[in-house]
Amino acid sequence: QVHLVESGGGLVQAGGSLRLSCAASGRSFGNYPMGWFRQAPGKERQFVSTITWSDGITYYADSVKGRFTISRDNAKNTVYLQMNSLKPEDTAVYYCAAEDRTWRSRTFRVKAYDYNYWGQGTQVTVSS
């Protein structure tokens, strides 16, 4: 059974940084894309970033570009999200996502329906 477990969320002041981690178990995702999404209260789940299988090509939502960095360690089956210069509008539950339907694809996966595995989410709160 596949599990994605996020960690690293918390409360931070505006301008601060956090690093989220997502450890996958039950299946290796080294040949598949992984991503991060977020959901604020009363809003739809929103794409944040994605990374391709092993060459690590990345893609970001405009709202986080230049502030967030996604990376992965395939040996650890883990994806990370380094978040710098955080803003109050970044406050949300952050979800890790993975899929195993597009082997070694270089097409960016930016829709929630592109992914078939999800973590339970980790809360990120940015105070002003």
Side-chain angles (χ1 to χ4, degrees):
Q1 190 172 3
V2 174
H3 292 284
L4 303 179
V5 179
E6 300 99 335
S7 61
L11 173 64
V12 64
Q13 288 188 333
S17 298
L18 284 173
R19 189 192 193 210
L20 305 183
S21 299
C22 171
S25 61
R27 202 223 196 284
S28 172
F29 289 99
N31 291 307
Y32 300 96
M34 299 184 76
W36 289 94
F37 288 73
R38 67 186 182 186
Q39 189 167 16
K43 295 188 177 181
E44 293 186 354
R45 193 165 295 192
Q46 175 188 42
F47 167 77
V48 175
S49 182
T50 185
I51 186 167
T52 55
W53 58 284
S54 72
D55 49 7
I57 299 173
T58 59
Y59 183 74
Y60 300 92
D62 287 344
S63 58
V64 306
K65 200 173 296 181
R67 300 188 297 122
F68 290 11
T69 303
I70 189 172
S71 61
R72 66 190 299 166
D73 184 337
N74 288 336
K76 295 182 178 179
N77 216 20
T78 297
V79 64
Y80 305 96
L81 187 68
Q82 177 67 42
M83 305 186 295
N84 298 329
S85 302
L86 282 161
K87 304 176 182 179
E89 51 264 44
D90 294 319
T91 295
V93 177
Y94 283 71
Y95 296 91
C96 171
E99 61 99 332
D100 60 359
R101 298 179 291 203
T102 57
W103 188 79
R104 296 191 176 183
S105 171
R106 284 191 170 84
T107 302
F108 293 127
R109 297 289 185 259
V110 301
K111 301 294 186 181
Y113 59 69
D114 288 330
Y115 296 89
N116 53 329
Y117 298 106
W118 292 87
Q120 82 289 350
T122 185
Q123 177 70 46
V124 172
T125 303
V126 184
S127 63
S128 57

